[in-house]
């Protein structure tokens, strides 16, 4: 036994004193109105009839729920009185219907006061003009559904998604969201674009199409495996080749990578969350730090030999024991200060001339100078300062042991300048003359590796070593911007 549909409004219609309304007695109603009333009261979908010039309102139980506190008083009353608070929006639509123009909307928003307080509401509806056999519009029939809850849920989901996107955007690593078995890009943050190349158009495109160079490197197979098995993929220091240069040229990078499956409520996999970080520069800096650490150990082992060399040179040129003792003490103090600078990684806001004079105070004799200097007063950042100090001391140490400073006739010319077509590069040259004949070393020791590594902290550093028979020539260059930048 089934329950009768719309019992509340069916009772209201049966008990209403229609004879006193603009519609008159039900027995006098036209067949169109009687038919629509029967359809409306037999339907579970919210429905509304607005009839006659007075726009008298009839509705079923589904529509009554939309009326809030205005039901049941609104039944049989004026459509304007029912929706007086939103009439500025309703009037054009009902007017069109009475003029024979239907209207349908998937979502119309109203600010209603139907329950005694302002409330944002949303409806999907259609207003259909109802005509008699001669084409005259008699009224309007509406089928509608309130979608306020659905819209609020969509808005909440959108806000939640936006919050997640904000978190992803603030992440220090690259993040991308891939959907479906073809791994289509749905979202990528700025760090991800920075890693693959900022000018790429990837959203809405599969990975195999948007970042095509990864296909031959096996990354699509990894994504397929994660999508199929649900097992995440994690890798450290993974080599990858990306067309990320300014003109799309290939670059070899190292990345940390995580492919994490994204599951729906039923446990099925809908996509993959990509988390990645470009560790190329970080690894290079770590290698450089290890090189510097090794060099510090190497220099510590040579300290005794250096002190002996300083003592020998000082005593050989001193006029008496008192002056020798004073000069020896001063030079050992310079040696200590130089070593402190190296250990501290530069003191910040150094200048090239300060680093150079620190080296010459240790290795040259003011009474008989053999290192000539020429260059402008240039600021140098703390990290390049450390590298430059180490290189200068290594070059000088080698000169004392094997090169120009190992003889009484040898000399060193040390020049530095700003160069390049745009005056945007630092260049220093070290030229030895008058020392023993020079040959290319058979083995590359830690000192030569340190010199060849160039200036740490600069974006573009180059070192050339020429072992000419007349003496060593070393040229060091770097871009001026990062050479002077404080890190």
């Amino acid at each position: 036994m089934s329950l009768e549909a719309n019992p509340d409004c069916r009772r209201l219609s049966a008990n209403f004193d229609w004879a006193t309304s603009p519609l008159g007695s039900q027995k006098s109603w036209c067949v169109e109105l009687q038919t629509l009333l029967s359809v409306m009261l037999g339907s579970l979908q919210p429905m509304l009839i607005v009839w006659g010039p007075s726009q008298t309102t009839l509705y079923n139980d589904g529509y009554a729920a939309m009326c809030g506190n205005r039901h049941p008083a609104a039944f049989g009353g004026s459509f304007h009185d029912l929706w007086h608070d939103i009439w500025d929006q309703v009037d054009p639509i009902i007017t069109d219907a009475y003029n024979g123009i239907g209207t349908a909307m998937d979502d119309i928003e109203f600010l209603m006061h139907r329950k005694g307080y302002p409330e944002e509401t949303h409806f999907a509806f259609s207003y259909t003009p109802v005509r008699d056999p001669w084409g005259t519009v008699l009224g309007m029939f509406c089928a509608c559904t309130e979608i306020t809850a659905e819209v609020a849920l969509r808005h909440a989901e959108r806000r939640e998604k936006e919050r997640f996107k904000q978190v992803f955007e603030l992440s220090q690593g690259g993040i991308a969201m891939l959907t479906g078995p073809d791994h289509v890009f749905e979202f990528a943050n700025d760090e991800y674009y920075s890693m693959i190349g900022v000018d790429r158009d990837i959203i809405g495109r599969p990975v195999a199409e948007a970042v095509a160079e990864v296909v031959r490197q096996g990354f699509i197979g990894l994504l397929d495996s994660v999508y199929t098995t649900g097992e995440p993929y994690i890798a450290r220091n993974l080599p990858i080749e990306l067309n990320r240069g300014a003109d799309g040229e290939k670059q070899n990078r190292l990345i940390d990578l995580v492919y994490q499956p994204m599951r729906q409520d039923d446990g099925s996999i809908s996509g993959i969350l990509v988390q990645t970080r470009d560790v190329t520069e970080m690894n290079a800096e770590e290698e450089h730090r290890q090189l510097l650490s090794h060099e510090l150990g190497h220099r510590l082992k040579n300290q005794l030999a250096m002190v002996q060399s300083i003592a020998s040179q000082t005593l050989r040129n001193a006029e008496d024991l008192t002056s020798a003792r004073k000069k020896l003490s001063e030079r050992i103090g310079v040696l200590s200060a130089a070593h402190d600078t190296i250990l501290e990684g530069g003191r910040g806001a150094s200048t090239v001339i300060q680093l150079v004079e620190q080296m010459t105070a240790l290795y040259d004799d003011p009474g008989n100078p053999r290192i000539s200097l020429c260059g402008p007063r240039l600021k140098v950042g703390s990290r390049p300062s450390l590298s430059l100090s180490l290189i200068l001391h290594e070059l000088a140490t080698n000169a004392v042991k094997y090169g120009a400073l190992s003889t009484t006739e040898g000399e060193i010319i040390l020049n530095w300048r700003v160069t390049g077509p745009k005056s945007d590069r630092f260049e220093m040259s070290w030229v030895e003359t008058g020392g023993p004949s020079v040959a290319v070393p058979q083995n590359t020791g830690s000192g030569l590796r340190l010199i060849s590594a160039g200036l740490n902290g600069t974006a573009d550093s180059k070192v050339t070593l020429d072992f000419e028979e007349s003496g060593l020539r070393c040229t060091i260059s770097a871009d001026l911007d990062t050479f002077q930048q404080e890190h």
Side-chain angles (χ1 to χ4, degrees):
M1 175 178 166
S2 60
L3 297 176
E4 191 175 42
N6 301 291
D8 185 20
C9 289
R10 189 180 294 275
R11 177 181 53 80
L12 283 174
S13 178
N15 297 333
F16 199 90
D17 186 6
W18 293 111
T20 60
S21 77
L23 299 182
S25 171
Q26 274 190 306
K27 293 180 180 180
S28 66
W29 289 3
C30 64
V31 66
E32 291 86 359
L33 178 55
Q34 292 183 11
T35 300
L36 286 175
L37 180 64
S38 176
V39 169
M40 181 181 71
L41 294 179
S43 175
L44 296 177
Q45 182 181 0
M47 290 183 179
L48 162 76
I49 299 171
V50 179
W51 204 258
S54 60
Q55 298 184 358
T56 302
T57 304
L58 302 91
Y59 49 79
N60 63 7
D61 287 15
Y63 194 89
M66 301 179 188
C67 296
N69 299 338
R70 297 170 186 179
H71 172 75
F75 192 88
S78 163
F79 192 52
H80 172 272
D81 291 345
L82 173 58
W83 297 126
H84 60 87
D85 53 332
I86 56 171
W87 192 247
D88 59 333
Q89 293 175 266
V90 174
D91 184 37
I93 306 173
I94 192 69
T95 299
D96 280 347
Y98 269 74
N99 288 329
I101 303 170
T103 301
M105 291 187 183
D106 293 329
D107 182 5
I108 187 170
E109 179 183 333
F110 296 116
L111 183 64
M112 291 181 170
H113 294 75
R114 58 185 177 173
K115 298 177 183 177
Y117 55 84
E119 176 188 8
E120 180 185 319
T121 60
H122 294 261
F123 299 88
F125 73 97
S126 64
Y127 277 13
T128 303
V130 182
R131 304 173 186 270
D132 65 13
W134 299 273
T136 302
V137 175
L138 302 174
M140 179 275 293
F141 177 74
C142 169
C144 61
T145 302
E146 181 167 357
I147 57 173
T148 302
E150 292 87 338
V151 171
L153 180 60
R154 288 201 301 269
H155 287 175
E157 290 174 346
R158 184 164 59 250
R159 287 193 297 269
E160 187 71 16
K161 190 172 183 179
E162 288 300 321
R163 281 196 292 268
F164 273 117
K165 284 187 176 182
Q166 289 176 4
V167 172
F168 291 161
E169 286 291 356
L170 294 173
S171 173
Q172 294 183 349
I175 293 180
M177 294 175 62
L178 311 177
T179 58
D182 293 330
H183 319 302
V184 176
F185 281 103
E186 181 179 334
F187 168 80
N189 67 356
D190 289 343
E191 285 296 322
Y192 190 86
Y193 277 105
S194 178
M195 186 190 75
I196 66 169
V198 294
D199 293 329
R200 298 214 194 198
D201 180 17
I202 63 174
I203 302 301
R205 301 172 63 193
V207 173
E209 176 186 322
V211 196
E213 65 269 27
V214 304
V215 176
R216 59 181 172 77
Q217 300 176 65
F219 286 90
I220 303 301
L222 294 175
L223 288 168
D224 289 341
S225 176
V226 173
Y227 191 88
T228 303
T229 67
E231 295 294 326
Y233 174 79
I234 302 173
R236 304 283 186 188
N237 297 324
L238 185 67
I240 185 173
E241 186 181 84
L242 292 166
N243 299 342
R244 64 187 297 273
D247 298 317
E249 64 269 20
K250 296 176 182 178
Q251 292 184 359
N252 294 316
R253 313 296 292 178
L254 290 174
I255 61 172
D256 291 345
L257 178 66
V258 177
Y259 287 157
Q260 185 72 39
M262 298 187 298
R263 297 182 182 273
Q264 295 181 315
D265 293 340
D266 61 2
S268 62
I269 297 173
S270 60
I272 295 174
L273 178 66
V274 181
Q275 298 169 277
T276 185
R277 182 173 60 158
D278 191 329
V279 296
T280 309
E281 280 76 20
M282 185 173 67
N283 284 6
E285 289 185 2
E286 179 60 28
E287 291 178 4
H288 200 88
R289 281 195 295 269
Q290 291 177 359
L291 176 63
L292 293 179
S293 178
H294 180 76
E295 173 58 19
L296 287 173
H298 168 71
R299 295 195 64 81
L300 287 172
K301 292 177 182 178
N302 285 337
Q303 289 306 298
L304 181 58
M306 182 63 65
V307 171
Q308 289 174 335
S309 174
I310 292 172
S312 175
Q313 185 183 51
T314 302
L315 293 172
R316 182 171 61 248
N317 297 312
E319 297 179 356
D320 52 54
L321 189 58
T322 301
S323 62
R325 184 184 299 112
K326 180 180 178 182
K327 179 61 70 174
L328 181 59
S329 177
E330 290 173 352
R331 289 194 168 183
I332 291 178
V334 172
L335 176 63
S336 176
H339 193 66
D340 286 343
T341 298
I342 293 171
L343 288 174
E344 293 174 12
R347 302 180 184 276
S350 299
T351 61
V352 176
I353 189 63
Q354 287 175 330
L355 300 178
V356 169
E357 288 179 344
Q358 188 181 65
M359 179 272 298
T360 57
L362 186 59
Y363 294 93
D364 203 7
D365 183 359
N368 182 30
R370 293 194 290 159
I371 304 178
S372 63
L373 310 175
C374 183
R377 187 176 184 84
L378 290 177
K379 175 183 175 294
V380 53
S382 57
R383 286 170 61 192
S385 170
L386 168 61
S387 295
L388 184 58
S389 181
L390 281 170
I391 291 172
L392 287 171
H393 284 279
E394 189 61 39
L395 288 169
T397 299
N398 288 338
V400 170
K401 288 182 177 181
Y402 317 112
L405 299 184
S406 66
T407 67
T408 58
E409 294 81 16
E411 294 182 350
I412 297 172
I413 300 173
L414 180 57
N415 296 329
W416 61 95
R417 60 175 181 158
V418 174
T419 185
K422 298 180 180 179
S423 298
D424 57 356
R425 293 192 65 79
F426 165 78
E427 183 178 279
M428 173 179 279
S429 66
W430 173 287
V431 180
E432 298 184 24
T433 60
S437 297
V438 174
V440 178
Q442 297 299 314
N443 299 312
T444 303
S446 62
L448 285 181
R449 286 197 299 272
L450 172 76
I451 296 170
S452 300
L455 301 177
N456 188 29
T458 61
D460 181 19
S461 177
K462 298 177 182 178
V463 176
T464 59
L465 288 167
D466 296 321
F467 295 93
E468 298 181 3
E469 185 177 354
S470 59
L472 173 68
R473 287 178 172 267
C474 176
T475 302
I476 307 162
S477 68
D479 65 292
L480 188 62
D481 183 37
T482 56
F483 176 76
Q484 296 186 314
Q485 181 177 339
E486 280 301 328
H487 296 269

